[in-house]
């Protein structure tokens, strides 16, 4: 269902998930269309900073010396197969890296909000909406969004500022989240930037239970219509 919404100033924060170099440099973990995603994230970050919206950046780092992960994939060198603490490709891409005064938060699991004090601090500061962008859509974005909703936040999911290993993986993940994004909305970068500026924008919001019954044949068209 398409609905016009406005987000009250002072009640929104922007969340950027795992925009790390491995997703454009490591052949095993490339994100399809990553350059375009980074460009859209840059626009979101500029809009957030211009409108005094707080930015929160996360990176996924695996430390097998201190984390109990019995089934975690390991490379031939005995280190984590991805996002290992010693891998320089875990650095945030320079175009979307935190600016001065913006903290980079490290997470050891898919969700940014599974544990720790951040969600509580956001709530205490009056944040009601989270603008979410990053990778991979079906993994860390999915987990972060679901935990955010469970903790009482409204999520504005920016579909063209998220991505995964393929368009199919990304688009079906967005559709799955849209079906369960209770209280939140799906939009694109243009819409999100306008909402951050205080404008009223027509967005897609879930109505009822699981309205997007997608198939192999219609998933791309349903995604385009969000």
């Amino acid at each position: 269902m398409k609905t016009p919404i406005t987000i009250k100033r002072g009640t929104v924060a922007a969340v950027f998930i795992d925009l790390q170099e491995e997703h454009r440099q490591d052949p095993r973990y490339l994100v399809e269309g990553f350059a375009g995603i980074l460009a859209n994230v840059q626009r979101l970050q500029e809009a957030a900073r211009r409108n005094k919206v707080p930015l929160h950046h996360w990176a996924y780092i695996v430390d097998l010396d201190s984390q109990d992960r019995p089934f975690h994939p390991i490379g031939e060198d005995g280190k984590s197969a991805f996002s290992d603490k010693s891998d320089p490709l875990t650095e945030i891409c320079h175009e979307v890296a935190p600016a001065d005064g913006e903290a980079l938060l490290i997470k050891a699991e898919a969700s940014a909000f599974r544990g720790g004090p951040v969600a509580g601090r956001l709530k205490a500061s009056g944040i009601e909406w989270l603008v979410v962008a990053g990778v991979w859509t079906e993994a860390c974005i999915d987990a972060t969004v679901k935990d955010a909703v469970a903790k009482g936040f409204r999520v504005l999911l920016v579909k063209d500022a998220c991505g995964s290993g393929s368009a199919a993986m990304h688009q079906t993940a967005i559709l799955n989240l849209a079906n369960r994004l209770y209280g939140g909305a799906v939009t694109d970068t243009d819409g999100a930037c306008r909402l951050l500026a205080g404008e009223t924008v027509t967005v897609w919001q879930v109505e009822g239970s699981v309205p997007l019954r997608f198939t192999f044949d219609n998933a791309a068209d349903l995604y385009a219509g969000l």
Side-chain angles (χ1 to χ4, degrees):
M1 179 178 71
K2 292 294 184 78
T3 310
I5 66 168
T6 307
I7 297 179
K8 183 180 177 182
R9 289 185 180 275
T11 68
V12 58
V15 170
F16 302 100
I17 302 295
D18 303 350
L19 293 161
Q20 293 159 263
E21 282 289 347
E22 62 188 332
H23 302 304
R24 68 172 164 189
Q25 293 195 47
D26 189 328
R28 300 170 298 172
Y29 306 115
L30 300 179
V31 167
E32 184 172 338
F34 198 43
I37 292 164
L38 291 176
N40 286 336
V41 169
Q42 281 185 286
R43 292 174 56 205
L44 282 175
Q45 293 181 346
E46 289 166 1
R49 292 168 183 141
R50 186 166 57 249
N51 292 286
K52 307 294 191 250
V53 172
L55 285 75
H56 299 268
H57 308 259
W58 268 270
Y60 184 74
I61 304 292
V62 178
D63 181 357
L64 294 179
D65 293 330
S66 62
Q67 299 165 9
D68 183 19
R69 294 171 178 250
F71 305 114
H72 189 84
I74 297 174
E76 294 180 358
D77 58 3
K79 298 178 181 179
S80 170
F82 56 88
S83 305
D84 186 80
K85 64 178 181 178
S86 64
D87 189 345
L89 295 185
T90 57
E91 293 290 329
I92 298 294
C93 297
H94 66 89
E95 308 98 308
V96 296
D100 290 343
E102 297 171 3
L104 173 60
L105 304 163
I106 303 302
K107 60 188 180 70
E109 53 189 318
S111 173
F113 297 119
R114 185 62 49 86
V118 178
R121 290 173 182 168
L122 288 168
K123 279 284 185 183
S125 67
I127 298 299
E128 300 173 7
W129 280 89
L130 299 176
V131 177
V132 176
V135 298
W136 287 32
T137 318
E138 80 286 359
C140 294
I141 295 297
D142 180 273
T144 295
V145 168
K146 287 176 177 174
D147 279 348
V149 172
K151 293 179 182 296
F153 293 102
R154 297 180 183 271
V155 171
L156 183 70
L157 182 59
V158 188
K159 67 176 188 176
D160 59 351
C162 297
S164 188
S166 71
M169 295 167 73
H170 165 67
Q171 291 176 7
T172 53
I174 291 287
L175 291 172
N176 274 319
L177 282 172
N179 272 329
R180 296 162 177 84
L181 200 57
Y182 308 121
V186 181
T187 190
D188 59 12
T189 300
D190 288 338
C193 289
R194 290 174 58 202
L195 284 165
L196 290 174
E199 296 183 36
T200 298
V201 176
T202 297
V203 298
W204 192 91
Q205 291 190 298
V206 64
E207 184 180 54
S209 177
V210 195
L212 298 170
R213 301 301 178 102
F214 56 90
T215 67
F216 291 116
D217 296 323
N218 72 357
D221 286 340
L222 286 175
Y223 171 85
L226 291 176

